[in-house]
């Protein structure tokens, strides 16, 4: 069986699905065959440069169809795309290209292009889409046959880490995704997260291989794009699904269903990248939309996921390959599979790299998990967020949050500990929360408290009349909730 990148590079295998881009309030659509022809045209231009296999091509751009063209064309030509998730910072462009070993840089930022330097030319864009191509003379091959692409991921560390994406690792995840979610030419996938995040590119490859249609848009256009494109599935972090619930509650026409708000054609939704609260999952269940949780890291690839045939509320699903998972005495998960999504880090100090990619082949996730009797996994939280109490007991804040959410408290809950670590405190937040709403919530919390062990009882309760978890000020670059930012806000503004 061919690897996915061989199939996508084969001109004799026609692409059937449509490729759309939502911009300026309208849907612009190409047929799969027209899009494939443009990829071949761009590949021919790249071949004319006589670049060595493995040469690095940099890209910094918003979500556009041309982003996909460059991605697929470089793959077809045996080149390596280096995707930047943040605007490159430099005083001299030539120095930047040299530092990152780039032969070409594709960008659609006018200010970036205007920063000129000697020995650099701006080429006419062969696909006529709008991106500029900056060419630096010379070749900078990246000698790694299994390398598909170089990407950056911030994760929970707060600083970017460069990751070498494996062809074999990507091939495994894509084919399992198509199989387990039964993707076909009837599916339509809307992508609004940055393509620099490799998960989005995995979704693109899955759609092309299964002849599904796909559409790109930016986050600000997602609601009109859903109405215009009518996707059958979405992949997004919890903050997106919480936002949809908030918009749904405020809708003027009460006859509009949750599915209709999302285009009326949803078959399933997937969330991951961060824990999601039980109340949000329940809203989708009650609205007739199946919201499935999944779990993985850029280092390992997908580890567990829920499907339409295998699902438990609150669980991230069953492992794709249970035999390769290891859970230590503290519940921390590691994985040792022959085809992880990433081969390792680049541009990172050896000490930091070897903390994650161990010499024995294990990849440490830094996540604490549990597994039930049916083989479903549950994410407790990050090892770095574990609180060790004065009595030596280890507690993760999310364990306490989950206990209260299960008992029907329909608010955003954030548990934290003061510096003395003697008792948990809780922030209760909801949009336009009145004092009477808070008092009712407080009563429910006190009721749940009675049934909890002493170490889990919430001693201090505060409230905020606007959502906290869905506020971008309290998220990482990858739209994950930053518990540290929330705790700092509480301690400095609410206490």
């Amino acid at each position: 069986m061919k690897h996915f990148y061989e199939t996508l590079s084969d001109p004799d295998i026609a692409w059937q699905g449509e490729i759309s881009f939502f911009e300026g309030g309208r849907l612009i659509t190409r047929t799969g065959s027209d899009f494939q022809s443009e990829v071949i045209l761009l590949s021919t231009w790249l071949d004319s440069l006589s670049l060595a296999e493995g040469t690095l091509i940099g890209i910094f751009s918003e979500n556009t169809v041309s982003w996909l063209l460059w991605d697929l064309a470089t793959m077809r030509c045996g080149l390596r795309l280096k995707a930047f998730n943040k605007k490159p910072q430099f005083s001299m462009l030539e120095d930047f290209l040299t530092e990152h070993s780039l032969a070409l840089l594709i960008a659609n930022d006018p200010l970036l292009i205007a920063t000129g330097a000697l020995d650099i030319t701006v080429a006419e864009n062969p696909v006529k889409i709008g991106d500029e191509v900056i060419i630096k003379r010379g070749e900078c091959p990246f000698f790694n046959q299994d390398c598909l692409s170089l990407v950056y991921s911030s994760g929970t560390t707060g600083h970017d880490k460069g990751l070498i994406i494996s062809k074999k690792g990507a091939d495994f995840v894509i084919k399992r995704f198509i199989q387990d979610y039964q993707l076909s030419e009837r599916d339509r996938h809307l992508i609004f997260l940055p393509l620099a995040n490799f998960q989005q590119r995995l979704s693109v490859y899955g759609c092309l291989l299964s002849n599904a249609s796909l559409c790109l848009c930016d986050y600000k256009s997602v609601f009109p794009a859903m109405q215009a494109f009518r996707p059958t599935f979405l992949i997004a972090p919890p903050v997106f699904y919480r936002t949809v619930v908030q918009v749904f509650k405020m809708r003027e026409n009460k006859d509009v269903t949750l599915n209709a708000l999302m285009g009326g054609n949803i078959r399933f939704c997937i969330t991951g990248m961060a824990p999601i609260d039980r109340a949000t999952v329940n809203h989708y269940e009650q609205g007739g939309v199946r919201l499935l949780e999944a779990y993985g890291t850029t280092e390992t690839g997908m580890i567990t996921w829920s499907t339409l045939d295998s699902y438990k509320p609150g669980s991230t699903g069953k492992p794709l390959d249970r035999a390769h998972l290891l859970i230590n005495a503290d519940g921390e998960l590691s994985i040792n599979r022959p085809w992880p999504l990433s081969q390792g880090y680049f541009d990172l100090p050896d000490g930091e790299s070897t903390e994650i990619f161990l010499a024995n082949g294990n990849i440490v996730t830094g996540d604490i998990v549990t597994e039930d009797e049916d083989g479903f996994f549950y994410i407790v939280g990050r090892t770095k967020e574990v609180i060790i109490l004065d009595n030596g007991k280890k507690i993760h804040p999310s364990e306490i949050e989950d206990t209260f959410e299960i008992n029907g408290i329909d608010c955003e809950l954030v548990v934290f500990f003061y510096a003395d670590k003697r008792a948990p405190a809780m922030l209760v937040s909801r949009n336009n929360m009145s004092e009477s709403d808070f008092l009712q919530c407080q009563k429910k919390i006190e009721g749940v408290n009675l049934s909890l062990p002493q170490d889990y009882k919430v001693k201090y309760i505060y409230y905020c009349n606007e959502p906290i978890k869905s506020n971008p000020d309290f998220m990482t670059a990858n739209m994950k909730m930053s518990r540290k930012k929330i705790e700092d806000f509480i301690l400095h503004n609410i206490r």
Side-chain angles (χ1 to χ4, degrees):
M1 181 183 293
K2 284 186 175 182
H3 293 299
F4 84 94
Y5 47 89
E6 294 172 326
T7 301
L8 293 181
S9 299
D10 189 338
D12 295 326
I13 300 178
W15 299 346
Q16 303 296 327
E18 294 178 338
I19 290 82
S20 301
F21 182 58
F22 187 83
E23 184 180 33
R26 65 191 184 99
L27 201 63
I28 304 167
T29 300
R30 288 174 172 77
T31 64
S33 59
D34 285 346
F35 182 68
Q36 188 175 27
S37 296
E38 290 183 279
V39 171
I40 294 172
L41 174 65
L42 182 54
S43 302
T44 303
W45 181 81
L46 284 171
D47 285 337
S48 73
L49 301 180
S50 301
L51 299 173
E53 181 178 357
T55 295
L56 292 177
I57 311 297
I59 186 167
F60 171 73
S61 174
E62 298 172 350
N63 278 15
T64 61
V65 173
S66 65
W67 210 114
L68 298 184
L69 291 174
W70 285 106
D71 182 28
L72 294 162
T74 52
M75 184 191 304
R76 194 169 185 270
C77 294
L79 309 175
R80 307 290 185 261
L81 196 68
K82 191 172 190 178
F84 295 94
N85 59 355
K86 296 177 182 176
K87 182 177 179 178
Q89 301 294 317
F90 51 79
S91 57
M92 290 295 288
L93 180 54
E94 186 171 20
D95 293 341
F96 175 80
L97 298 182
T98 300
E99 176 189 352
H100 289 275
S101 302
L102 302 178
L104 280 71
L105 174 63
I106 295 95
N108 64 359
D109 187 314
L111 294 178
L112 197 65
I113 302 300
T115 308
L118 296 175
D119 203 27
I120 292 174
T121 59
V122 177
E124 182 181 3
N125 190 335
V127 290
K128 311 291 184 186
I129 299 287
D131 291 343
E132 298 282 1
V133 185
I134 302 172
I135 300 178
K136 180 179 185 296
R137 296 193 186 99
E139 297 174 3
C140 311
F142 188 83
F143 295 107
N144 187 322
Q145 289 297 318
D146 187 46
C147 172
L148 177 68
S149 179
L150 301 182
V151 303
Y152 289 92
S153 174
S154 62
T156 57
T157 63
H159 65 272
D160 284 342
K161 297 176 292 185
L163 287 156
I164 304 168
I165 299 299
S166 160
K167 291 179 180 177
K168 293 177 182 177
D171 191 67
F172 167 73
V173 174
I174 293 165
K175 289 177 178 176
R176 281 294 302 270
F177 181 70
I178 293 171
Q179 171 188 310
D180 290 2
Y181 292 94
Q182 301 174 26
L183 297 192
S184 72
E185 69 280 356
R186 296 185 296 275
D187 279 305
R188 301 171 64 80
H189 181 38
L190 179 65
I191 298 173
F192 56 88
L193 296 177
L195 289 168
N197 295 344
F198 192 71
Q199 171 60 57
Q200 316 315 312
R201 289 155 70 189
L202 286 174
S203 301
V204 169
Y205 307 148
C207 288
L208 293 176
L209 290 169
S210 60
N211 293 319
S213 295
L214 62 93
C215 176
L216 300 177
C217 73
D218 61 30
Y219 185 74
K220 296 177 182 177
S221 306
V222 66
F223 280 94
M226 286 192 292
Q227 295 300 316
F229 183 67
R230 303 187 70 242
T232 62
F233 74 97
L234 296 163
I235 301 174
V239 60
F240 168 75
Y241 295 108
R242 284 195 290 264
T243 301
V244 171
V245 169
Q246 291 168 16
V247 172
F248 178 69
K249 288 180 177 179
M250 294 186 293
R251 72 198 187 284
E252 294 181 1
N253 184 354
K254 299 303 179 183
D255 291 331
V256 173
T257 65
L258 187 61
N259 198 328
L261 182 65
M262 303 172 77
N265 197 31
I266 294 292
R267 189 161 70 88
F268 63 89
C269 294
I270 298 176
T271 189
M273 310 166 206
I276 189 166
D277 56 281
R278 186 64 59 84
T280 300
V281 175
N282 290 343
H283 277 299
Y284 283 83
E285 197 72 21
Q286 294 162 8
V289 177
R290 181 55 57 87
L291 179 54
L292 305 169
E293 293 186 63
Y295 163 66
T297 70
T298 310
E299 287 84 351
T300 64
M302 296 310 301
I303 298 172
T304 67
W305 56 35
S306 303
T307 67
L308 290 169
D309 299 323
S310 179
Y311 166 79
K312 275 189 181 182
S315 166
T316 60
K318 292 185 176 181
L320 280 67
D321 50 342
R322 180 62 183 89
H324 296 117
L325 304 189
L326 309 162
I327 304 174
N328 69 15
D330 291 328
E332 185 177 19
L333 177 67
S334 296
I335 186 166
N336 191 328
R337 56 168 53 139
W339 13 248
L341 183 60
S342 171
Q343 297 177 0
Y345 297 120
F346 66 88
D347 295 342
L348 200 67
D350 289 339
E352 189 170 344
S353 180
T354 54
E355 289 178 2
I356 306 300
F357 290 89
L358 305 186
N360 62 3
N362 289 358
I363 303 175
V364 179
T365 66
D367 292 313
I368 300 171
V369 304
T370 60
E371 182 180 14
D372 69 16
E373 64 279 1
D374 297 320
F376 285 86
F377 271 57
Y378 301 80
I379 309 301
V380 177
R382 299 287 295 169
T383 55
K384 294 179 180 179
E385 295 175 349
V386 170
I387 300 296
I388 303 177
L389 302 181
D390 291 343
N391 60 12
K393 185 176 180 63
K394 296 178 180 179
I395 296 179
H396 196 284
S398 66
E399 293 180 273
I400 302 175
E401 292 165 359
D402 290 346
T403 301
F404 284 91
E405 288 171 356
I406 289 171
N407 282 275
I409 297 177
D410 186 15
C411 298
E412 290 186 357
L413 307 176
V414 179
V415 169
F416 63 102
F417 286 76
Y418 289 126
D420 57 21
K421 299 180 182 178
R422 291 180 181 172
M426 178 180 286
L427 174 69
V428 180
S429 65
R430 192 168 63 191
N431 197 38
N432 297 321
M433 190 177 198
S434 66
E435 187 172 350
S436 62
D437 290 334
F438 169 70
L439 292 174
Q440 186 178 7
C441 232
Q442 186 178 36
K443 187 175 181 180
K444 287 184 178 180
I445 290 170
E446 290 170 349
V448 175
N449 251 345
L450 295 174
S451 64
L452 295 180
Q454 187 61 37
D455 291 331
Y456 284 71
K457 292 181 186 293
V458 172
K459 185 175 181 180
Y460 310 101
I461 307 172
Y462 305 91
Y463 78 96
C464 180
N465 64 358
E466 59 181 280
I468 292 292
K469 290 184 177 180
S470 54
N471 187 330
D473 291 339
F474 304 117
M475 294 179 196
T476 68
N478 288 341
M479 300 181 74
K480 297 179 182 179
M481 183 186 81
S482 171
R483 191 177 292 276
K484 180 66 169 60
K485 289 182 180 180
I486 293 176
E487 290 175 1
D488 288 344
F489 170 77
I490 295 168
L491 294 174
H492 291 99
N493 297 280
I494 294 183
R495 185 172 180 178

